[in-house]
Amino acid sequence: MTVPLIEVDGLRKDFAVTRKTGVLRRARAVVHAVDGLTFSVERGEIVGYIGPNGAGKSTTVKMLTGILVPTAGRISVGGLVPTERRTELARRIGVLFGQRVQLWWDLPLIESFELLRHMYRVGADRYRENLATFRELLELDPFLGTPVRQLSLGQRVRGELTAAMLHDPEILFLDEPTIGLDIVAKQRVREFLLRANREHGVTVLLTTHDLADIERLARRILIIDHGRLIYDGELEALKRRFGPRRVLVVDLVEPAPPLRVDGGEVVRTDGPRQWIAFDGDRITAAALIAAVTAVAAVRDLTLEEPEIESVVREIYAGRARPEAGPIRGS
Amino acid sequence: MGELREGGALYLRIIAARIRAQLQYRASFALETVGMFFVTFLDFVVILVIFANVPALAGWSRAEVALLYAISALCFAFTDLVVGQLDWLSEWVRNGTFDGMLVRPRGTLFQVISSDFQIRRVGKIVQGLLVLVYALVVLDIQWTPARALMLAAAIPVGTVIFISIWVLTISIVFWTVDGREAANAFTYGGSFLAQFPINLYDRWLRRFLGYIVPIAFVAYFPSLYILDKPDPLGLPSILQFAAPVVAVVTAIAAGLVWRVAVRHYQSAGG
């Protein structure tokens, strides 16, 4: 058995928050931003790390990359304790913080790459090779000579992605990599990441609000809320477990009381339109449609698939006892 | 040693790129440099005005004060040229720019210092040099090799002292923004932030440490030696040679405090 590339055990991070409670009075409170995380990531995985705002996602990533010192717990990334061996770790990881600029603001993009090559001590041949690859995959050529401050957001993210990968990192930490990008740019970034993972075995940990990122990229997801892990497992298993209900939307010829059909349940009506929820494991969509058309005149039909958004929403809503520990998907 | 040389080469490479970028805007660069020159020159005008009314100040003539002023101004001008961007540190700590420096394989202080280089600050150096030339022309200094060496060493030694003290005092931002940077403190609004008298505090401390304590070693003692002047305060003359020791001690202290301070870094957001 191989040692996981990333190991996190009982990780905690507390912040002291000073809050004003009176004219001069201030209350000091401790916020547990990350509260006892345990998980591991194997080499070559792409893991989606999701959760609502303020759940502790960024704090976790910052501890994994050596930016923040944990309050308690153990971290090992590539065999190193991040904050103890910060610069050594920095050579082996690539980091992209969505909105924040890592490149030199007033320098042409190509000059930033040149400087990073020296900063990371990337050999000339390796640099030339990598740059050529990224220029092609991310179509950098039209703006290589443009100062970073004049780039569009999409161009900048492509530049930052290149900057994060010039030194052949083993692990990529991406915090909201596609935020603010248009569909085409998102697509390009996702394809690039998949390729880096497939061809170079780069391990990727990404936090995102865009669940489409997760669906396209990650097989495995970690869901965090209030600093605790509430799900660790495969995306498909999660969907099966929390989103077995599919919904058939029927437009009747004329309004009618909620239809009664075996295996389905009307969850909503709106004039002639009715939403019928059903369990895909117990009845097929075709059988349900047949049952519906047998009892009513139907003008139109659509089938709604469970989406990761609603699945995640359900998890947040149904998380009655977070102390119970994470749900583990198979 | 090789490590140091490699770091130096990288520093020069980054700075060269920054200068090239600034020279793209020649006109504004020239105007700013001239502006910087005149603004600092006003400092010296104040001294001239005082001496228009009195012949001597606490036993120092106009030209003698000019020498003292020139040494200190040059040291500060070089300090500002090299590490002036430390003024941005509290902003970088607040908005998370500092995060980016922690995920790169170089020292954080190195990255902060190499992050900028405003060539317009050369204007201050020019001003200091002109005052120095004036002082040296007017003063009748009995030059010896030791005195020449003292003058030549005073500038780099004083610069190191100023830089160290700046690093030392600015490290405080890693503590004072502590409460603010915690997860959701942003919501408590700007008024809360404004109650932190960081700048005041900062500037007061910087003035006290930066101007009062080490100015003695940066300009006062070297000037006494160069001018062969009896110390009006009657302090032991060995102090006139203490500046390099002070420089080394403050530099080590600055490095240690910085190291501890960075571990206190809370980073923005949650």
Side-chain angles (χ1 to χ4, degrees), chain A residues 15-16 19-20 26 59 62 67-69 86-87 90 100 102 104 106-107 111 118-121 149, chain B residues 6 13 17-18 20 25 99-106 182 188 192 195 263 265-268 270:
Chain A
F15 287 112
R19 195 161 44 89
K20 224 181 127 174
R26 291 208 171 77
T59 306
K62 283 174 185 174
I67 293 170
L68 288 179
V69 183
R86 189 184 66 73
T87 52
R100 254 171 252 148
Q102 298 257 67
W104 283 265
D106 56 357
L107 298 187
E111 284 208 48
H118 290 283
M119 191 172 260
Y120 283 89
R121 304 195 183 113
R149 68 183 134 76
Chain B
E6 198 254 344
R13 203 180 281 278
R18 299 306 301 251
R20 272 199 304 278
Y25 306 91
D99 285 358
M101 297 183 176
L102 284 164
V103 296
R104 283 187 179 158
R106 297 283 166 162
Y188 298 116
F192 171 72
Q195 287 173 2
R263 277 190 78 87
Y265 178 56
Q266 294 274 300
S267 175

Side-chain angles (χ1 to χ4, degrees), chain B residues 221-260:
Chain B
F221 290 126
S223 299
L224 285 179
Y225 183 81
I226 294 164
L227 297 167
D228 196 17
K229 201 176 162 66
D231 188 345
L233 298 172
L235 295 167
S237 60
I238 183 83
L239 287 174
Q240 296 176 6
F241 307 97
V245 178
V246 172
V248 169
V249 171
T250 49
I252 290 172
L256 291 177
V257 169
W258 178 269
R259 194 174 281 226
V260 174

Side-chain angles (χ1 to χ4, degrees), chain A residues 27-49:
Chain A
R28 258 174 87 81
V30 174
V31 172
H32 308 291
V34 168
D35 196 6
L37 280 185
T38 301
F39 65 85
S40 59
V41 176
E42 301 291 333
R43 194 176 287 275
E45 278 194 281
I46 300 185
V47 176
Y49 192 47

Side-chain angles (χ1 to χ4, degrees), chain A residues 6 11 18 56-57 78 104 148 169 193 211 238 255 262 326:
Chain A
I6 300 175
L11 184 63
T18 316
K57 298 186 303 265
W104 283 265
V148 172
L193 292 174
L211 294 171
L238 181 72
D262 273 348

Side-chain angles (χ1 to χ4, degrees), chain B residues 63-82:
Chain B
E64 286 170 345
V65 170
L67 175 69
L68 196 125
Y69 170 89
I71 292 175
S72 147
L74 277 172
C75 292
F76 196 78
F78 280 114
T79 300
D80 195 38
L81 183 69
V82 178

Side-chain angles (χ1 to χ4, degrees), chain B residues 79-125:
Chain B
T79 300
D80 195 38
L81 183 69
V82 178
V83 298
Q85 49 283 7
L86 281 172
D87 261 346
W88 286 97
L89 186 65
S90 84
E91 183 61 25
W92 292 341
V93 164
R94 190 167 23 248
N95 68 18
T97 302
F98 196 73
D99 285 358
M101 297 183 176
L102 284 164
V103 296
R104 283 187 179 158
R106 297 283 166 162
T108 45
L109 191 55
F110 173 87
Q111 291 183 70
V112 169
I113 290 173
S114 64
S115 66
D116 199 7
F117 193 87
Q118 294 291 331
I119 24 176
R120 65 196 156 95
R121 292 177 181 147
V122 168
K124 289 188 187 178
I125 294 174

Side-chain angles (χ1 to χ4, degrees), chain B:
Chain B
M1 219 47 212
E3 191 90 343
L4 207 65
R5 201 168 47 226
E6 198 254 344
L10 179 61
Y11 176 78
L12 292 179
R13 203 180 281 278
I14 297 173
I15 297 312
R18 299 306 301 251
I19 292 176
R20 272 199 304 278
Q22 285 167 46
L23 289 179
Q24 300 265 305
Y25 306 91
R26 255 167 237 280
S28 85
F29 156 67
L31 278 175
E32 284 175 350
T33 309
V34 171
M36 199 65 106
F37 172 85
F38 279 110
V39 168
T40 29
F41 195 73
L42 285 178
D43 284 354
F44 188 62
V45 168
V46 171
I47 294 172
L48 293 179
V49 168
I50 292 170
F51 277 99
N53 298 301
V54 292
L57 205 62
W60 292 70
S61 73
R62 177 165 66 184
E64 286 170 345
V65 170
L67 175 69
L68 196 125
Y69 170 89
I71 292 175
S72 147
L74 277 172
C75 292
F76 196 78
F78 280 114
T79 300
D80 195 38
L81 183 69
V82 178
V83 298
Q85 49 283 7
L86 281 172
D87 261 346
W88 286 97
L89 186 65
S90 84
E91 183 61 25
W92 292 341
V93 164
R94 190 167 23 248
N95 68 18
T97 302
F98 196 73
D99 285 358
M101 297 183 176
L102 284 164
V103 296
R104 283 187 179 158
R106 297 283 166 162
T108 45
L109 191 55
F110 173 87
Q111 291 183 70
V112 169
I113 290 173
S114 64
S115 66
D116 199 7
F117 193 87
Q118 294 291 331
I119 24 176
R120 65 196 156 95
R121 292 177 181 147
V122 168
K124 289 188 187 178
I125 294 174
V126 173
Q127 187 263 350
L129 278 176
L130 286 181
V131 178
L132 182 66
V133 168
Y134 160 81
L136 295 182
V137 167
V138 175
L139 287 167
D140 185 22
I141 296 171
Q142 306 299 309
W143 286 109
T144 65
R147 285 187 188 135
L149 186 66
M150 178 64 89
L151 180 61
I155 311 295
V157 167
T159 304
V160 169
I161 293 177
F162 273 146
I163 289 177
S164 306
I165 282 165
W166 203 342
V167 169
L168 208 63
T169 53
I170 203 77
S171 295
I172 213 168
V173 304
F174 291 105
W175 279 281
T176 49
V177 284
D178 177 295
R180 269 194 296 197
E181 299 311 317
N184 49 5
F186 291 105
T187 47
Y188 298 116
S191 64
F192 171 72
L193 302 187
Q195 287 173 2
F196 267 106
I198 286 175
N199 291 325
L200 193 77
Y201 199 60
D202 224 15
R203 195 170 302 161
W204 179 84
L205 242 182
R206 202 189 301 160
R207 288 248 164 90
F208 178 74
L209 290 164
Y211 298 130
I212 314 292
V213 178
I215 201 147
F217 294 100
V218 170
Y220 181 78
F221 290 126
S223 299
L224 285 179
Y225 183 81
I226 294 164
L227 297 167
D228 196 17
K229 201 176 162 66
D231 188 345
L233 298 172
L235 295 167
S237 60
I238 183 83
L239 287 174
Q240 296 176 6
F241 307 97
V245 178
V246 172
V248 169
V249 171
T250 49
I252 290 172
L256 291 177
V257 169
W258 178 269
R259 194 174 281 226
V260 174
V262 169
R263 277 190 78 87
H264 257 263
Y265 178 56
Q266 294 274 300
S267 175

